[in-house]
Amino acid sequence: MPLDQTFAGRTWPPTETYLVGREKIREFARAIGATDAEYHDPEAARALGYPDVVAPPTFPVAITMTASRQVVNDPALGLDYSRVVHGDQRFVYTRPMVAGDAVVCVNTVDEITTRGGHWFLTVRTEVRTEAGEPVVTVWSKLVQRGEEHP
Amino acid sequence: MNEILEPQTFRVTRADLVRYAGASGDFNPIHWSDRIATGVGLPGVIAHGMFTMALVGRAVTGWAGAADAVKEFSVRFARPVPVPDTDEGTEVVVTATVKEVTEDGDTRLALTATCNGDKVLSLAQALVRKR
């Protein structure tokens, strides 16, 4: 199924505020086996100069994947999620995310391309605090595999 | 000569995928249902790409010395990581080579991740603040 290439370059309004919770960071850190104290213990995190427990580098995707549904679930885009695999992932950090951050996400479709029956959708998500302070920029490239390649 | 960092090995079981699905909110059934995974042409249940990237991230923060030392981090998911329904699961081995020290004094790491000898990532790298 082709994607609507007019989506390229489009930016969506900021998503609702996501409050980064201490227990969510701990849960995520446990799930990836990250046992370092700064992910779990606020005192240890503060001793290292963070205001609260700090999120592991890939944690923001737990927020941005949900936020990007405003793009990928738009029926007008034409994405068949059952055929989607994750192609590329990139993070550029302004600062680490910490418990207590109240963040919003702004999604932009950077690129839509097609090659060999496959479609490639790159979504850029700018994660910033409610006050507008940038935290991290996240790029996700999704690949919708062609029908002849199940 | 480019410095080669100590390889890190991570074991991945089905239980890890269940935990990661819950923690990340990614409940795509290819990460927990053999029926659905094989139905879309995969060898069986595969790890979330972002779980593999998270393991690479653990290696990177370990080498860099702190979570906030990582300035940029990117990967391409080249091959899936099949996770058999056994107690042993599978293993992902992460290696890194120092590619350059930038003018700002940051270190660029070239990263690899392999599973059963196959490279599961390509074009993987991280830029870390030198300590």
Side-chain angles (χ1 to χ4, degrees), chain A residues 24 32-33 87 89 91 93 150, chain B residues 23 40 58 71 73 75-77:
Chain A
K24 190 66 190 177
I32 66 167
Q89 184 68 34
F91 299 88
Y93 307 91
Chain B
V40 296
R58 278 178 55 196
K71 296 174 79 170
F73 185 19
V75 305
R76 171 166 295 174
F77 303 106

Side-chain angles (χ1 to χ4, degrees), chain A residues 40-103:
Chain A
H40 301 277
D41 177 1
E43 287 309 315
R46 281 192 269 272
L48 292 167
Y50 306 110
D52 205 312
V53 295
V54 60
T58 60
F59 174 84
V61 80
I63 301 168
T64 60
M65 201 180 107
T66 304
S68 68
R69 285 182 192 148
Q70 73 177 163
V71 180
V72 302
N73 285 357
D74 186 334
L77 173 63
L79 191 73
D80 175 2
Y81 210 80
S82 73
R83 310 194 72 79
V84 165
V85 293
H86 200 163
D88 293 39
Q89 184 68 34
R90 176 165 191 245
F91 299 88
V92 173
Y93 307 91
T94 305
R95 65 157 172 84
M97 200 170 265
V98 292
D101 278 336
V103 297

Side-chain angles (χ1 to χ4, degrees), chain B residues 28-127:
Chain B
N28 189 329
I30 62 174
H31 305 304
W32 48 265
S33 167
D34 280 305
R35 175 177 55 87
I36 291 181
T38 55
V40 296
L42 294 165
V45 162
I46 63 168
H48 304 71
M50 287 310 302
F51 182 68
T52 304
M53 189 174 186
L55 298 179
V56 177
R58 278 178 55 196
V60 170
T61 54
W63 286 313
D68 69 352
V70 187
K71 296 174 79 170
E72 296 180 22
F73 185 19
S74 56
V75 305
R76 171 166 295 174
F77 303 106
R79 282 169 177 269
V81 173
V83 181
D85 187 11
T86 61
D87 291 343
E88 296 76 28
T90 192
E91 276 184 354
V92 173
V93 181
V94 181
T95 66
T97 309
V98 175
K99 292 307 280 188
E100 65 163 335
V101 175
T102 68
E103 285 181 1
D104 298 337
D106 296 331
T107 301
R108 191 174 301 280
L109 299 175
L111 304 161
T112 68
T114 57
C115 178
N116 300 320
D118 289 328
K119 282 196 176 186
V120 296
L121 299 180
S122 59
L123 299 173
Q125 60 171 310
L127 186 66

